[in-house]
Amino acid sequence: MDPFDAALDLLRRLPPSSTQQNLNGIIALRPDLEEDLLSSVDVALTSKRCTKTGRDFLCCDYNRDDNSYRSPWSNEFEPPIEAEAAADLIPGGRILRMEESLNAGVDVYRELYYEGGISSAYLWALEEGFAGVVLFKKTSSAGGSAGKGGWDSIHVLEVSEAAGKRSAHYKLTSTVILGLGLSSSTVDSLELAGNLTRQTESDLALTHSGSRESDIEQSHVVNIGRMVEDMETRMRNLLQEVYFGKAKDVVGDLRSIQPLSEVGRERDAHKEVISKMGR
């Protein structure tokens, strides 16, 4: 079996809450797989503080160069990298303007929907169009150290503009990493963790006022923001209704809160009603 495929298969079988630790262990054993694994395995996001602006930003493989990460607030790598390498990795022109506008938009969205947390957005140019990633992270604790939870969402997008820039094709791949934990004398230790990935594509119109490039750039920001918002809402509802709902049903089937005698009486009453309706 190919070592890369074997590593991915192993990570899928291990607890999701320990993905980062297990990933580091595999990389220590096979350093030659580091780049491929870091770009293929979704792990909980980490954050750093921009020394120039004092604002926190999220770190991922898309704003990384070796051990340095680019801040969206200063557009500089921390720690600094060589000027020649930075020139190829730091965006400019329309890509930078769209990235700044997108960061401002997702920052407002984060405050409204998450009421805290950290958000970051990064864009980079492609041969045809551009690509980017929108990141959100929120952690919380309840009851002191007894309960804790974390939500990490990673939205990777690819955009290709049609001829004449009247419309654009957007491809969005979103991953949510959710982790919940509870530790107390009553339940001992309980952990629920996992990730969910969904993909969508859409052709959307671009505002076009003559030769004003700024209108097209703003249209891209609006379209990306709307797609990310819709995807987050859809995935949150899916997690709440399907996964948590199923877990609740399983627990309910394993242990009934009602006494068995009461459940038996309700079952008998139900059978009696059904039999009378069939007459």
Side-chain angles (χ1 to χ4, degrees):
M1 187 183 225
D2 180 72
F4 177 68
D5 292 335
L8 293 179
D9 185 59
L10 178 61
L11 288 169
R12 280 193 291 266
R13 297 171 187 273
L14 293 171
S17 58
S18 304
T19 299
Q20 183 66 68
Q21 179 183 350
N22 296 327
L23 180 62
N24 292 338
I26 293 174
I27 291 174
L29 292 173
R30 292 296 302 266
D32 55 306
L33 299 177
E34 180 177 6
E35 289 298 326
D36 291 334
L37 286 174
L38 289 178
S39 61
S40 303
V41 179
D42 293 314
V43 296
L45 299 166
T46 59
S47 64
K48 294 186 68 174
R49 177 152 295 181
C50 177
T51 56
K52 191 171 183 178
T53 64
R55 300 188 63 177
D56 292 331
F57 65 94
L58 294 172
C59 306
C60 67
D61 194 57
Y62 299 100
N63 69 321
R64 179 180 69 89
D65 182 65
D66 197 13
N67 293 321
S68 296
Y69 294 89
R70 181 172 68 88
S71 166
W73 312 118
S74 64
N75 200 27
E76 297 176 359
F77 277 89
E78 298 190 7
I81 61 176
E82 295 181 3
E84 184 176 348
D88 297 329
L89 298 173
I90 294 178
R94 72 189 293 256
I95 299 297
L96 178 58
R97 291 193 297 270
M98 286 191 292
E99 182 182 281
E100 291 173 343
S101 297
L102 186 58
N103 269 292
V106 298
D107 193 49
V108 174
Y109 169 88
R110 172 196 56 77
E111 191 60 40
L112 291 173
Y113 281 80
Y114 288 86
E115 297 181 352
I118 308 172
S119 65
S120 296
Y122 304 97
L123 300 180
W124 57 92
L126 300 176
E127 290 185 3
E128 295 183 4
F130 64 93
V133 62
V134 179
L135 310 170
F136 297 97
K137 183 179 183 66
K138 175 70 180 289
T139 58
S140 63
S141 59
S145 59
K148 61 181 180 178
W151 171 288
D152 298 81
S153 55
I154 305 167
H155 305 275
V156 182
L157 57 102
E158 185 176 338
V159 183
S160 56
E161 296 173 332
K165 295 185 177 181
R166 296 284 181 179
S167 64
H169 181 76
Y170 299 84
K171 181 178 180 180
L172 179 67
T173 303
S174 300
T175 299
V176 168
I177 303 172
L178 180 66
L180 301 172
L182 179 64
S183 179
S184 69
S185 57
T186 305
V187 300
D188 192 15
S189 180
L190 174 66
E191 184 178 278
L192 176 63
N195 59 63
L196 178 68
T197 300
R198 289 292 184 270
Q199 188 177 91
T200 185
E201 298 186 39
S202 184
D203 291 299
L204 301 173
L206 297 173
T207 302
H208 199 291
S209 300
S211 60
R212 291 187 60 184
E213 186 70 22
S214 60
D215 292 338
I216 299 176
E217 295 171 6
Q218 192 61 34
S219 290
H220 279 306
V221 173
V222 171
N223 291 341
I224 293 170
R226 184 179 294 116
M227 288 187 69
V228 168
E229 181 181 8
D230 291 344
M231 179 63 84
E232 284 224 327
T233 301
R234 194 173 83 188
M235 295 180 76
R236 182 188 181 280
N237 291 338
L238 187 61
L239 284 168
Q240 180 175 344
E241 296 173 8
V242 178
Y243 291 90
F244 285 104
K246 184 62 176 178
K248 185 177 180 181
D249 291 342
V250 170
V251 173
D253 290 339
L254 290 173
R255 182 181 184 278
S256 175
I257 298 176
Q258 294 176 296
L260 291 177
S261 58
E262 185 177 338
V263 173
R265 286 196 298 270
E266 289 182 357
R267 188 182 296 114
D268 292 339
H270 179 71
K271 289 181 180 179
E272 184 178 353
V273 171
I274 296 297
S275 62
K276 289 180 178 180
M277 291 177 61
R279 292 175 182 173

